[in-house]
Amino acid sequence: MSPAVSRIARLLGVAAIPLAILGVFFALPVVGMVSRGFWADGTFDPGAVLGVLGRPRVHRVLWFTLWSASLGTLLSLALGLPAAHVLYRRRFPGVSVLRAALLAPFVLPTVVVGVAFRQLVGESGPLGFLGIDGSPIAIIAGLVFFNASVVIRIVGGAWESLDPRAGEAAAALGAGPWQVLRTVTLPALRPSLVSAASVVFLFCATAFGVVLTLGGLAYSSVETEIYLLTANLLDLQAAAALSVLQLVVVTGLLLAAARARRTPDPALSRILARPRRLSSGDLPALGGTALLGLLVAGPILALVAGSLRHDDAWTLANYRALATTGEQQALIAPVTDALVTSLRTAFDATWMSLLLGLTVAVVVTRRSRSVSERRVRSVLDGVFMLPLGVSAVTLGFGFLITLDRPPLDLRDSPLLVPIAQALVALPLVVRTLVPVLAGVDDRLRQAAATLGAAPWRASLTVDLPVVARPLLAAAGFAFAVSLGEFGATSFLARDEHPTLPVVIFGLIGHPGPMNYGMALAASVVLASTTAAVMLAVERLHVPVGSF
Amino acid sequence: MLSLRDVSVSYDGVPAVVDVDLELPDGEVLAVLGPSGCGKSTLLRAVAGLEPLTSGSVSWDGADLRGVPTHRRGFALLFQDGQLFGHLTVARNVGYALRLRRAPNVRERVAELLELVGLAGYGDRLPATLSGGERQRVALARALAAEPRLLLLDEPLSALDAGLRERLAADLRTILRGAGTTALMVTHDHEEAFTVADRLAVMRAGGVVQDGPIAEVWREPVDPETALFLGYARVFRDDAAAAILAAAGRPPAPAVAVRRSALTVDAHGQLTGVVLSSRATPEQIRLVVDVPGVGEADAVAPLDSHPAVGQPARLAVDSGRLAVWVTAPAPL
């Protein structure tokens, strides 16, 4: 065997374990779910699946998904860019607190945000007079609430390390602040802008919890429609058709974004610029940041205030009720049990996604010696991003129908939910670790080797110190994602051991003011747990790579 | 004319530039020379309007520039590494300022400027495909295109290798002269300063210690530290100074700075010493000689001579390569 071939063989050997895991717990359920739609009553019937795409309701769903995601992306960029500028290029008292506050929505559980917005704009809410409850406006505001923080995170990281001297050179040539922004800064930020826009569009188009809680049955996106079709209508053909369509479109979008990002890389010099003091020129950006601050603070404050109200009085009754099963036995187990379940599940999901993500990150970042080796690595990189492109609902339902018989009968296994959540968190973990590992100069490892260090020892010396903090940050992300995961979990959580988001969704569905109050209180508990994890991550100050 | 009055700049309370006074008449090139960390780049950025002044004033033709933003000052800035816009071609980089002001005939003007810096035909290239020297030339053309009232150069040649630096310094001089550009350049390299500038200001620890026409500063450095920074090899005091001055046929003085090439091996020389070490360079042989009454001194000999270590040597002193202090300067 030639050395190059044996290197690739060894590479695939290391990748075999994560690939097998991905095969069993991702490809198998997704294919199972999709094929269930194509094989109706034992016969292959692709025509019926295509026929689904001709339904008027499906057209409405597709159109709504498209325009709400586009508008959500545009508005997230419009509010996120000024905030990224203010939070990463300017210094003022309290900037780090503000930054943490505006970054936190990124991982807030979608169900919580849905509940918070309903509390704000619902009939009895402080903004109830606007009459936007259940309207697309509320849904889009919810999407922007989440995704502006994604824009800030991705673009802010790039902006922070952008060499300010190119802009200074332009100013010295006579360019005013807006001209500098348009002709120098934005072109230099282009890769991160494309990256942020595509990932935000992706998140908007596949948003589940927000659309389901705010849109109900009136406004449905592809993702919620898949849920309604499988869980309520049992129309697997239509669900399969939408799943396939979603997979194709999202994969195409990811490929297009990767291509757009790759073209002219202006070999930017990266430095950590000193943030400057605020000046009057920053007023427009400050205005945008303030607007975003209101959008983020409004629903959260309404949620917290609502959770403290019962029978028109300020009280902790809603929180005390969390130890019960609610009015009219709305729940099987008390909410406090669900919190314990959520934490335990998140812990398991975290170590799983870290183990898997770290292996993947190491495999795809090692330096390639040949073109074919590099190709194998980049294909692997793409394969492990796939969970980003598949509806969590599809994944969850696929688990249910494929992992239900020996040798893989996991229906009653407590690991089923963590495995699904680990796969949902995997792309985020990989994207946090890959840029860091890729940034390690291979010559450092070579230097260690020439000094007598074996490969594992060289890695311990060179990689571990670099990757320790990002690994911790990735753990935080995975934990937070798992705490809030709703799409897949809604199918998989066992009735007697639900997670917190599932319980909250159940509580909103049950009548009774106490149940609603408990939903608010549980949302506050879940949001504060996630926010605490995120604040800890924020202190590590690790940027997330582009998708 | 650029005037700086009592200019001070500090970062978070730490002073970087302290009470600097400078004047730069139109059409001249002033080099601010100083070791790294002396505050010279900060001074340049303050002139450009990129750093706020803590106190003092920067004015142009008598008009105070306080509150005038960088893009309205008409001072183009050339960075050490050019800072070309990576997403624009060479031609669009050079034409940047012209497009901003919607000037006519941009294409012709860009071609002229590229011709001037010796890069005709490079218009369609991207900056990433250029060498370091080419990039600096494009950056210079881009700055000149703005027709700045004042051109600011921040270590414009430091990022280049030695041979290229020398050539480009001479070109820079010719181009600035030809265009009659008023320019303020900061550098840590005294050779670069001598090649390009008319006037010299020496900066140390945030303050200007000396400024004037370049030959004058060169001939009469204000103190021994300045002399050593300007390339003088050693400073002698008292009796040693008197011995060297006597050999040069000049009256005694409290201190004298000596360039490496001031003492040459010469059969008719006035000084005698013992060769301590000898090292050949491409142009001459460099010696260290122990001269009684003076101490260790540097000297040079022609390449075809072979002064051996331990042998006596006679040395002549070139009076033009000394800097003399008539009153005792501060100790180092």
Side-chain angles (χ1 to χ4, degrees), chain B residues 310-322:
Chain B
Q311 295 296 307
R314 294 185 74 84
L315 303 170
V317 180
D318 179 349
S319 171
R321 299 183 185 215
L322 305 178

Side-chain angles (χ1 to χ4, degrees), chain B residues 4 16 23 48 59 79 83 94 112 152 191 199 215 224 238 241 271 293:
Chain B
L4 276 61
E23 298 245 307
S59 50
F79 283 97
Q83 291 296 333
V94 175
E112 270 173 42
L152 302 168
E191 308 250 359
R199 298 171 62 83
D238 306 325
L271 293 175

Side-chain angles (χ1 to χ4, degrees), chain A residues 249-269:
Chain A
V249 170
V250 166
T251 311
L253 190 68
L254 282 175
L255 287 177
R259 184 166 287 267
R261 230 179 15 244
R262 206 171 47 216
T263 40
D265 184 13
L268 296 166
S269 41

Side-chain angles (χ1 to χ4, degrees), chain A residues 104-129:
Chain A
F106 180 43
V107 291
L108 281 189
T110 52
V111 176
V112 170
V113 176
V115 170
F117 266 94
R118 279 181 68 173
Q119 180 63 20
L120 181 68
V121 301
E123 267 174 45
S124 56
L127 296 184
F129 62 90

Side-chain angles (χ1 to χ4, degrees), chain B residues 100-302:
Chain B
L100 282 181
R101 59 178 76 151
R102 302 182 206 291
N105 306 327
V106 172
R107 197 188 292 263
E108 290 78 9
R109 185 81 187 108
V110 167
E112 270 173 42
L113 284 159
L114 283 177
E115 176 96 46
L116 178 69
V117 297
L119 290 178
Y122 276 59
D124 293 330
R125 303 262 299 260
L126 277 173
T129 67
L130 303 180
S131 71
E134 287 164 348
R135 249 176 264 164
Q136 273 317 67
R137 286 169 190 267
V138 174
L140 177 63
R142 182 179 74 175
L144 291 174
E147 289 171 3
R149 303 191 282 185
L150 172 67
L151 179 61
L152 302 168
L153 305 134
D154 186 2
E155 306 253 7
L157 308 174
S158 313
L160 309 175
D161 56 54
L164 189 59
R165 188 160 61 219
E166 220 166 279
R167 268 209 317 282
L168 213 50
D171 287 357
L172 187 57
R173 162 103 188 154
T174 316
I175 291 169
L176 292 182
R177 268 297 151 87
T181 310
T182 314
L184 174 60
M185 163 169 114
V186 306
T187 175
H188 66 268
D189 184 75
H190 57 89
E191 308 250 359
E192 193 175 301
F194 287 122
T195 314
V196 180
D198 308 298
R199 298 171 62 83
L200 188 65
V202 180
M203 222 173 144
R204 205 157 62 213
V208 169
V209 292
Q210 188 176 11
D211 77 289
I214 203 152
E216 191 179 293
V217 177
W218 174 243
R219 208 168 46 240
E220 294 169 7
V222 69
D223 56 27
E225 196 174 344
T226 305
L228 293 176
F229 191 70
L230 287 173
Y232 285 84
R234 290 178 201 256
V235 174
F236 296 99
R237 291 167 188 272
D238 306 325
D239 293 347
I244 286 181
L245 286 169
R250 293 173 66 163
V256 61
V258 181
R259 292 188 62 189
R260 182 178 285 284
S261 55
L263 273 58
T264 48
V265 172
D266 185 331
H268 310 290
Q270 304 271 317
L271 293 175
T272 315
V274 179
V275 177
L276 292 178
S277 75
S278 155
R279 186 165 62 87
T281 70
E283 288 171 21
Q284 59 204 2
I285 292 174
R286 294 186 168 184
L287 307 173
V288 177
V289 182
D290 184 23
V291 181
V294 173
E296 283 181 22
D298 300 283
V300 294

Side-chain angles (χ1 to χ4, degrees), chain A residues 165 168 171-172 175 183 276, chain B residues 45 50 71 75 81 83 87 96:
Chain A
R165 289 177 302 163
E168 290 169 0
T183 59
R276 299 183 75 98
Chain B
R45 293 173 58 84
L50 294 168
H71 64 281
F75 298 171
D81 46 5
Q83 291 296 333
H87 61 290
Y96 184 83

Side-chain angles (χ1 to χ4, degrees), chain A residues 472-499:
Chain A
L472 216 52
F477 283 132
F479 198 84
V481 165
S482 160
L483 274 182
E485 212 289 328
F486 180 58
T489 313
S490 59
F491 283 95
L492 300 176
R494 284 168 301 163
D495 291 339
E496 67 278 19
H497 291 299
T499 63

